[in-house]
């Protein structure tokens, strides 16, 4: 278990910011991660600004922000639980550099539940996520939110149980494609 609780703003428990030219992803596995840091924005237990991070068999939460957040980085999440975060289970945003590479992330065989906003938030042009065999339930807003050009491909997931405002939000150019998923 890694617990990072601080009064200092903008501190993540784990932060990755490496050259995107290095194609070797970093990885974490088998961790329970808890986070608390007072921030208005960019508040994530696990933060990936550039490079890529493989996350497997982890249990991640934040009492002040999102469990996982990217601002240009790539994440590959498998067999993990992203739950009870104050904000999103996972928030995927484009890089701050408008000419940065696309954000293409994947989430599989995971549970994204009971978060304060949406379970999965995909926002911005060139931000895409593939969600496979996941349970997305009990989030206060939407199960999956794709806005501002964000795109989510959802396959073989359960995404409709008890999400406060509904299963899916698609607006401002966002899109969600759902295949073989149920209630």
């Amino acid at each position: 278990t890694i617990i990072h609780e601080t009064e200092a703003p903008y501190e993540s428990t784990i932060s990755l910011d490496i050259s995107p030219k290095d194609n070797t992803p970093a990885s974490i596995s088998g961790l329970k991660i808890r986070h608390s840091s007072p921030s208005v924005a960019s508040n994530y237990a696990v933060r990936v600004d550039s490079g890529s991070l493989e996350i497997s068999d982890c249990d991640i939460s934040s009492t002040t922000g999102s469990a996982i957040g990217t601002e240009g980085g790539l994440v590959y999440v498998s067999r993990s639980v992203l739950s009870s975060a104050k904000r999103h289970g996972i928030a995927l945003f484009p890089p701050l550099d408008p000419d940065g590479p696309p954000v293409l992330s994947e989430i599989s065989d995971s549970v994204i539940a009971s978060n304060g906003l949406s379970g999965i938030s995909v926002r911005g042009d060139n931000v895409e996520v593939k969600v496979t065999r996941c349970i997305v339930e009990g989030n206060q807003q939407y199960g999956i939110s794709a806005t501002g050009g964000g795109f989510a491909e959802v396959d073989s997931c359960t995404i409709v149980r008890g999400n406060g405002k509904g299963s899916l939000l698609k607006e401002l150019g966002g899109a969600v494609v759902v295949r073989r998923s149920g209630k």
Side-chain angles (χ1 to χ4, degrees), residues 81-153:
V81 176
L82 312 176
S83 69
S84 304
K86 182 173 183 178
R87 297 185 59 76
H88 305 287
I90 184 166
L92 305 169
F93 297 102
L96 297 177
D97 176 0
D99 295 323
V103 175
L104 308 169
S105 293
E106 296 179 14
I107 308 166
S108 65
D109 304 301
S110 295
V111 175
I112 302 97
S114 303
N115 296 291
L117 297 177
S118 294
I120 300 169
S121 176
V122 187
R123 186 180 310 162
D125 291 329
N126 289 324
V127 180
E128 298 182 14
V129 64
K130 183 174 183 178
V131 184
T132 309
R133 296 177 307 278
C134 290
I135 297 172
V136 185
E137 66 182 1
N139 299 288
Q140 295 299 306
Q141 288 189 348
Y142 298 93
I144 299 172
S145 167
T147 60
F151 177 78
E153 179 182 336

Side-chain angles (χ1 to χ4, degrees), residues 141-165:
Q141 288 189 348
Y142 298 93
I144 299 172
S145 167
T147 60
F151 177 78
E153 179 182 336
V154 181
D155 192 350
S156 303
C157 293
T158 301
I159 54 175
V160 294
R161 288 190 243 168
N163 293 297
K165 292 187 176 181

Side-chain angles (χ1 to χ4, degrees), residues 12-152:
S12 297
T13 306
I14 295 174
S15 183
L16 182 69
D17 190 2
I18 60 175
S19 170
K21 294 177 185 173
D22 180 0
N23 291 331
T24 306
S27 65
I28 58 173
S29 181
L31 296 175
K32 182 175 182 179
I33 299 170
R34 296 297 179 260
H35 167 263
S36 177
S37 173
S39 306
V40 176
S42 301
N43 191 346
Y44 316 116
V46 175
R47 178 184 180 128
V48 183
D49 286 339
S50 64
S52 60
L53 180 62
E54 294 177 350
I55 300 168
S56 61
D57 303 302
C58 289
D59 178 347
I60 305 171
S61 187
S62 172
T63 59
T64 57
S66 297
I68 298 173
T70 70
E71 294 184 12
L74 312 178
V75 291
Y76 305 96
V77 180
S78 63
R79 300 177 313 277
S80 294
V81 176
L82 312 176
S83 69
S84 304
K86 182 173 183 178
R87 297 185 59 76
H88 305 287
I90 184 166
L92 305 169
F93 297 102
L96 297 177
D97 176 0
D99 295 323
V103 175
L104 308 169
S105 293
E106 296 179 14
I107 308 166
S108 65
D109 304 301
S110 295
V111 175
I112 302 97
S114 303
N115 296 291
L117 297 177
S118 294
I120 300 169
S121 176
V122 187
R123 186 180 310 162
D125 291 329
N126 289 324
V127 180
E128 298 182 14
V129 64
K130 183 174 183 178
V131 184
T132 309
R133 296 177 307 278
C134 290
I135 297 172
V136 185
E137 66 182 1
N139 299 288
Q140 295 299 306
Q141 288 189 348
Y142 298 93
I144 299 172
S145 167
T147 60
F151 177 78

